Amino acid sequence: MNETREFEFEIEEQKRIDFEIFILNEIIKSRKPILGICYGMQLINVFLRGTLYQDIKSQKSGSLEHREGNHIIEVYNNPFIETGRFEVNSSHHQSVKDTGAGIKAFAYAQDYVIEAFYLESHDFLLGVQWHPERMDNVVSKQIFRVFINACHGN
């Protein structure tokens, strides 16, 4: 890609991010249910002044391979999904490092990468790092069930 096309891509990418942040702000203000998946979870965290590992493998020693494959997560007490150990898919190289204001992490990979969180002050704001839409397991189905129920309640 030449420099001009690369610059144009960066401008378009920034426009998309600015739009996503604008929409996220409006949805949070209106108290509508929010489900952030993978990049969506990361965007929510940054919006709420959290930080990210820009590249897990190079920034977190002893980390799992999160770019592809499956791994086990441990889900702890939370208001949305059952606790326990579950296998999830993984296709990311960034992840939440420090959680943003009001975010409560409740699921972790074996390397302590945050795999799910919720916003304590919001009726339904749930972020998951994996792709439940690509998995046919109990926890992934439960995520969509509680999200749909929250949408019906609004």
Side-chain angles (χ1 to χ4, degrees):
M1 190 180 308
N2 66 36
E3 285 184 39
T4 304
R5 291 186 83 192
E6 200 169 298
F7 180 70
E8 290 171 353
F9 175 78
E10 289 173 11
I11 290 173
E12 290 304 311
E13 182 73 7
Q14 189 59 53
K15 285 180 183 178
R16 182 182 65 87
I17 292 168
D18 292 345
F19 177 72
E20 290 169 344
I21 288 171
F22 171 79
I23 293 294
L24 179 59
N25 185 50
E26 293 301 309
I27 294 171
I28 288 174
K29 284 191 319 191
S30 68
R31 311 229 18 109
K32 298 288 185 194
I34 300 170
L35 173 59
I37 296 174
C38 196
Y39 166 81
M41 176 181 172
Q42 296 167 15
L43 181 74
I44 292 166
N45 189 61
V46 170
F47 175 79
L48 294 170
R49 297 180 307 285
T51 63
L52 299 177
Y53 288 109
Q54 293 299 312
D55 183 63
I56 301 167
K57 200 70 166 166
S58 67
Q59 291 181 287
K60 187 167 175 33
S61 62
S63 63
L64 299 172
E65 178 54 66
H66 287 270
R67 288 183 187 268
E68 61 184 338
N70 294 352
H71 61 80
I72 301 297
I73 63 167
E74 185 78 32
V75 176
Y76 296 96
N77 191 35
N78 69 88
F80 303 115
I81 59 176
E82 65 185 81
T83 61
R85 292 173 52 88
F86 303 96
E87 184 175 15
V88 297
N89 55 25
S90 196
S91 61
H92 59 99
H93 72 98
Q94 295 181 309
S95 69
V96 171
K97 182 177 181 183
D98 300 305
T99 55
I103 288 179
K104 174 81 170 144
F106 70 85
Y108 300 85
Q110 296 104 323
D111 59 4
Y112 303 105
V113 164
I114 296 170
E115 292 283 338
F117 65 54
Y118 65 95
L119 183 60
E120 294 178 294
S121 62
H122 198 278
D123 294 335
F124 190 98
L125 186 151
L126 176 62
V128 297
Q129 189 57 69
W130 70 96
H131 285 270
E133 77 280 10
R134 297 181 192 162
M135 296 206 72
D136 187 17
N137 65 7
V138 172
V139 71
S140 294
K141 288 177 181 176
Q142 193 173 34
I143 287 167
F144 289 112
R145 191 169 31 259
V146 298
F147 179 58
I148 290 166
N149 289 341
C151 291
H152 284 253
N154 248 320

